[in-house]
Structures are given as structure tokens and as C-alpha cells.
């Protein structure tokens, strides 16, 4: 797509958003996940009807068949007018859906993609377990074949939005005798069947965005398998490529916005700040962060180009994930430095100050979710730079 067409697309999106966003009701409180699901689904349905859902998804499955670059332009326009973020179906839209497109059978694509785009069905990602996070290949949740079904037993943890999800992209062990990563299978599991139980976990920001999921003899048909049996590690890497490479695009745009707001906060004498724009260290930190975020934006665009060319993202996705998540924490740290002790009682703050302190706490999770910074560095050094593998534990 040429520059002129991209600009025409931007202007059309801007015009539609200018009409649509003011019609939205007030967003529900963050802690009310059920209300958030209804709110997010209503917005998603509006996007779908206007042709702005699944911009880079194939038209045959309800998407627009556009490029990921157009999708990025749309996100920029959404950010400019404060349109809602994807919300509770973050996993479904940003990494499970794209995995279904890349790895699913025709039946999977016909069944699952359009309901995600229409805002009807939400997904979660069941990868991590109590003893398998960074070392994901050691996961133990078992699936045993029984005729045309898999019977699943085990536990997942930190499963984002599991309390409001309809389906889970679940990693299970199907061959306990194979070397770790070769005995894993990826299954599509409905969340509302017998043998699946969700227990919410409360986070530092005060609500239960993620939870534990227990499986006790849950049964799914063999046709719910994504990829071949024991080929789930490869499928999981496809999902993680999307999660690390492009899923945080809106998050990055919000971070740029937040950095601008921090500058305004520091410049406003009416705000309860401890440090202000008069402080040279604040001005320098804001300048450095602005440059850093420009560079992170360039990494995002490189991933978007790669996706438009190859349809999947490789280990290079980790470079963006690492840079974005660490920059988020630096923006959060600066917010806390500018606000001083007021940041510790964020409930008493209003407007921008309150949002920035909440984001500062939320940012703590970003260098863990989707794989920790240490793991991203290992991937970059081994898979991108070809450096020697880290020594494996013996015994
Ligand atoms: C907000 C949030 C949302 C999440 N959502 C989901 C989700 O939806 N689905 C899901 O499956 N999971 C989810 N997770 C889980 C996340 O993927 C794991 O927390 C992450 O992979 C780390 O695993 P762990 O917590 O078991 O930590 P561990 O793996 O126990 O790591 C502990 C520490 O050891 C370090 N470490 C471990 N191994 C190495 C190594 N080889 N080299 C150097 N350092 C190492 C780590 O970097 C870390 O600092 C989420 C996590 C968060 C915080």
C-alpha cells in the first residue's frame, strides 16, 4: 500500500472514530471484569460493523485483509482520541487469534475467528504453571488420549482474564517420555466444561486480572488440537512471537502519551508534585525517555513489516518486548520520582497523577508477563545473535 492510500485510510479512520468514540458510555471500574467484558465486547462489535475489526486478518474469516501497517495506523488514531483499548480479549485478538490463522485447521478458522472479531467470544492463554514459567518446556499438565478425546488433568497459573474467557489455548504434555519440548501438544479448551475450575488471583493494583485454572478430567475432542500431537512447542512459539512482537503496540502508543502527560504534570504548579520541570534531572529524564520511546517505536515498525512479509514473527520479537517493557518501568519510575510520597497514596490523587501511579505499579508486571527480561535476553543472544547457549542445569 502506498503512502497516499495509507493516508486516506488514516483520514477515514479518524473521521469514523470522531463520531463513534463520543457515543460510548463511561468505562466500568477496572476491578469489575464482567462489566469490562460487556463494555469491551460492545466496542468490538462497533469496530466489526464499521470494518475496523481484525484489520490484518483474512477477509474470508471476517477480517479486513489489510496490512499490519494499516492496523498500526488505526491504533495511532485510536490512541489520539482515547478510544478504548482491546481489554479483556487481549489474548484472543492479539495472539491466540493470529495463531489460529497461522496454525489452525479450516474448521478452527471457520468456527473461532469471526466470533473473536465480532466481540462474542473471549480467549485466554494457558501456558504457565506453578513450576513452569521461564522453563515452560517443563510443564506437567497432562492430556491422555481416550478414543477421540483428550482427558486433561493439571494446573495453570497467571492465566490472564481466565475468569471471563470462553476458550483457552492450552499447552499440555502428551508424551511424558519424550525430551521436554517434544512431548507437548496445544489444545483448544472451552472454559465452561466439566473439569475446568477458575480461581482468581488478586494483584498489586487491587483486582483479579489473572487467575489459576485447574483441570480435573476435562475432556475435549481430538479435533480441538492445534497442530500435530507433540508439536505444541512450535505452536506455542508462534503465539509467543505475536505476544512479544506486536501485541503491545497500543501499550507503546499509550506510553508515549503518558510521557507527554508527565511533562505537563511536572510543568503544572497546581499538581501535588515533589519534583518539577525546574529540576534539571526531570527534564533530562523526560528527554531521554522520549528518545528511547522513538527507538522502541522503530522496533515495533520493524516487527510490523516482518509480519506483513512473513505472516509470523520469529525470535526478533523479543527485542521489542524487552525494550518496551523496560521503558514502561522507566516511565513508571519517573512518575513516582516526580510525584514523590504522593505516589504512595494514589487513591487520593486525581486525573493524570492517579493514572500514572497506577501504570507505574502495573509496569512492574510487564517484564515478567510474556516471558521475563532475562529470558528475552537469552532468546536474543542465542536465537538472534548466535551466541553460545546458556549452560543447562545438570542432575
Ligand atoms: C501480568 C501477567 C500476566 C500473565 N499472563 C499469563 C497468561 O495469560 N498465560 C500464561 O500462561 N502465563 C501468564 N503469565 C505468566 C508469565 O508468563 C510468567 O510469570 C513468566 O514466564 C515467568 O515465569 P515464573 O513466574 O514462573 O517465574 P520463574 O520462571 O520462576 O522466574 C523467576 C526469576 O528467575 C529468572 N530466571 C528463570 N530462568 C532463568 C534463566 N534461564 N536465566 C536467567 N534468569 C532466569 C526469571 O527471569 C525471574 O526473574 C503472566 C504473568 C504476568 C506477570
Amino acid at each position: 500500500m502506498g503512502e497516499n492510500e495509507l493516508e486516506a485510510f488514516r483520514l477515514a479512520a479518524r473521521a469514523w472514530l470522531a463520531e463513534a468514540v463520543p457515543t460510548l458510555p463511561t468505562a466500568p471500574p477496572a476491578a469489575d471484569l464482567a462489566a469490562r467484558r460487556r463494555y469491551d465486547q460492545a466496542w468490538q462489535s462497533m469496530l466489526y460493523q464499521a470494518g475496523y475489526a481484525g484489520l490484518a486478518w483474512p477477509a474470508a474469516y471476517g477480517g479486513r485483509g489489510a496490512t499490519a501497517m494499516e492496523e498500526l495506523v488505526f491504533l495511532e488514531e485510536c490512541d489520539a482520541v482515547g478510544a478504548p483499548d482491546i481489554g479483556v480479549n487481549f489474548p484472543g485478538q492479539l495472539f491466540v487469534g493470529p495463531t489460529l490463522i497461522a496454525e489452525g485447521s479450516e474448521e478452527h478458522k471457520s468456527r473461532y475467528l469471526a466470533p473473536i472479531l465480532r466481540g462474542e467470544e473471549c480467549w485466554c492463554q494457558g501456558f504457565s504453571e506453578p513450576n513452569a514459567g521461564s522453563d515452560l518446556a517443563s510443564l506437567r499438565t497432562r492430556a491422555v488420549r481416550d478414543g477421540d478425546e483428550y482427558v486433561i488433568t493439571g494446573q495453570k497459573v497467571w492465566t490472564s482474564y481466565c475468569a471471563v474467557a470462553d476458550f483457552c489455548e492450552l499447552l499440555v504434555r502428551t508424551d511424558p517420555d519424550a525430551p521436554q519440548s517434544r512431548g507437548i501438544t496445544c489444545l483448544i479448551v472451552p472454559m465452561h466444561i466439566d473439569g475446568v475450575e477458575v480461581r482468581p488471583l488478586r494483584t498489586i493494583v487491587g483486582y483479579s486480572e489473572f487467575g489459576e485454572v485447574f483441570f480435573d478430567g476435562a475432556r475435549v475432542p481430538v479435533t480441538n488440537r492445534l497442530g500435530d500431537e507433540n508439536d505444541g512447542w512450535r505452536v506455542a512459539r508462534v503465539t509467543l512471537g505475536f505476544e512479544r512482537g506486536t501485541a503491545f503496540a497500543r501499550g507503546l502508543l499509550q506510553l508515549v502519551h503518558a510521557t507527554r502527560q508527565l511533562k505537563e504534570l511536572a510543568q503544572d504548579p497546581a499538581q501535588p508534585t515533589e519534583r518539577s520541570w525546574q529540576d534539571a534531572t526531570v527534564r533530562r529524564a523526560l528527554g531521554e525517555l522520549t528518545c528511547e520511546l522513538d527507538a522502541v517505536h522503530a522496533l515495533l515498525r520493524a516487527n510490523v513489516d516482518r509480519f506483513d512479509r512473513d505472516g509470523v514473527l520469529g525470535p526478533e520479537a523479543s527485542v521489542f518486548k524487552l525494550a518496551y517493557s523496560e521503558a514502561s518501568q522507566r516511565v513508571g519510575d519517573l512518575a513516582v520520582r516526580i510525584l514523590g510520597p504522593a505516589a504512595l497514596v494514589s487513591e487520593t490523587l486525581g486525573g493524570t497523577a492517579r493514572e500514572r501511579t497506577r501504570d507505574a505499579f502495573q509496569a512492574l508486571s510487564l517484564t515478567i508477563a510474556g516471558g521475563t527480561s532475562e529470558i528475552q535476553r537469552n532468546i536474543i543472544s542465542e536465537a538472534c545473535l548466535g551466541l553460545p547457549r546458556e549452560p543447562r542445569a545438570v542432575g
Side-chain angles (χ1 to χ4, degrees), residues 305-319:
D305 275 339
R306 196 171 290 123
F307 173 80
D308 278 337
R309 199 185 54 226
D310 303 338
V312 287
L313 293 166
E316 303 83 7
S318 291
V319 181

Side-chain angles (χ1 to χ4, degrees), residues 90-91 95 123-136 156-162 168-169 171 203 209-211 240 243-244 321 362 364-378 382 390-392:
F90 180 87
F95 40 93
W123 286 67
C124 62
Q125 175 202 42
F127 285 14
S128 306
E129 299 182 0
N131 292 308
S134 301
D135 186 15
L136 185 58
K156 296 290 169 177
V157 70
W158 318 126
T159 317
S160 296
Y161 304 117
C162 56
C168 180
E169 180 190 352
L171 291 184
T203 73
E209 203 164 278
F210 51 33
L240 291 170
E243 184 175 1
R244 294 165 180 165
K321 198 293 177 169
Q362 187 76 41
L364 296 175
S365 71
L366 293 176
T367 53
I368 304 172
T372 66
S373 287
E374 289 76 19
I375 295 307
Q376 305 316 313
R377 288 194 173 89
N378 279 352
E382 294 174 14
E390 70 163 326
R392 302 285 153 196

Side-chain angles (χ1 to χ4, degrees), residues 43-388:
W43 172 240
Q44 185 60 29
S45 166
M46 283 170 73
L47 290 174
Y48 182 77
Q49 281 163 28
Y52 289 115
L55 285 170
W57 290 23
Y61 305 113
R64 189 176 171 122
T67 60
M69 199 52 87
E70 283 168 276
E71 186 151 22
L72 184 56
V73 164
F74 187 68
L75 290 181
E76 286 169 3
E77 292 302 317
C78 285
D79 193 61
V81 292
D85 204 349
I86 282 174
V88 301
N89 203 18
F90 180 87
Q93 289 195 38
L94 298 181
F95 40 93
V96 183
T99 304
L100 290 167
I101 293 169
E103 298 292 332
S105 65
E106 269 316 305
E107 289 72 29
H108 294 149
K109 293 181 201 181
S110 309
R111 163 64 188 85
Y112 298 114
L113 292 176
I116 295 176
L117 291 186
R118 290 195 297 261
E120 293 161 2
E121 290 176 348
C122 295
W123 286 67
C124 62
Q125 175 202 42
F127 285 14
S128 306
E129 299 182 0
N131 292 308
S134 301
D135 186 15
L136 185 58
S138 66
L139 64 89
R140 291 206 197 133
T141 294
R142 275 286 268 141
V144 177
R145 186 92 176 243
D146 181 20
D148 290 339
E149 292 181 322
Y150 286 109
V151 184
I152 309 163
T153 307
Q155 185 200 341
K156 296 290 169 177
V157 70
W158 318 126
T159 317
S160 296
Y161 304 117
C162 56
V164 287
D166 302 293
F167 293 95
C168 180
E169 180 190 352
L170 187 74
L171 291 184
V172 291
R173 183 155 304 284
T174 33
D175 184 352
D177 300 322
Q180 281 191 334
S181 60
R182 299 209 197 123
I184 293 171
T185 298
C186 187
L187 298 176
I188 295 167
V189 179
M191 294 295 283
H192 304 297
I193 56 174
D194 286 347
V196 179
E197 187 196 343
V198 168
R199 293 185 204 159
L201 291 168
R202 195 178 145 101
T203 73
I204 192 173
V205 287
Y207 46 87
S208 301
E209 203 164 278
F210 51 33
E212 298 171 290
V213 187
F214 294 84
F215 299 88
D216 183 11
R219 288 176 171 267
V220 296
V222 169
T223 49
N224 277 27
R225 198 178 61 219
L226 206 46
D228 290 334
E229 189 165 288
N230 298 324
D231 189 29
W233 187 244
R234 191 187 57 75
V235 178
R237 291 205 333 214
V238 170
T239 305
L240 291 170
F242 291 122
E243 184 175 1
R244 294 165 180 165
T246 46
F248 292 110
R250 182 76 192 270
L252 174 62
L253 298 172
Q254 286 165 340
L255 203 56
V256 173
H257 200 85
T259 308
R260 254 185 257 127
Q261 285 185 328
L262 271 186
K263 183 179 165 203
E264 286 158 16
L265 194 73
Q267 289 176 330
D268 182 353
Q271 293 288 341
T273 57
E274 186 176 71
R275 290 191 167 81
S276 75
W277 187 245
Q278 305 309 320
D279 184 331
T281 63
V282 168
R283 295 199 301 275
R284 190 176 312 122
L286 278 164
E288 283 170 1
L289 277 171
T290 305
C291 297
E292 183 177 345
L293 292 175
D294 263 358
V296 183
H297 197 268
L299 289 171
L300 172 65
R301 288 180 81 97
N303 281 338
V304 165
D305 275 339
R306 196 171 290 123
F307 173 80
D308 278 337
R309 199 185 54 226
D310 303 338
V312 287
L313 293 166
E316 303 83 7
S318 291
V319 181
F320 170 73
K321 198 293 177 169
L322 178 67
Y324 161 71
S325 56
E326 301 218 327
S328 295
Q329 290 183 353
R330 278 192 273 280
V331 173
D333 287 348
L334 181 61
V336 172
R337 265 176 55 211
I338 289 175
L339 283 160
L344 295 174
V345 284
S346 63
E347 315 81 56
T348 63
L349 297 172
T352 303
R354 182 176 191 155
E355 279 176 32
R356 297 288 68 84
T357 48
R358 192 202 56 209
D359 286 357
F361 289 128
Q362 187 76 41
L364 296 175
S365 71
L366 293 176
T367 53
I368 304 172
T372 66
S373 287
E374 289 76 19
I375 295 307
Q376 305 316 313
R377 288 194 173 89
N378 279 352
I379 293 170
I380 294 164
S381 67
E382 294 174 14
C384 303
L385 303 175
L387 295 174

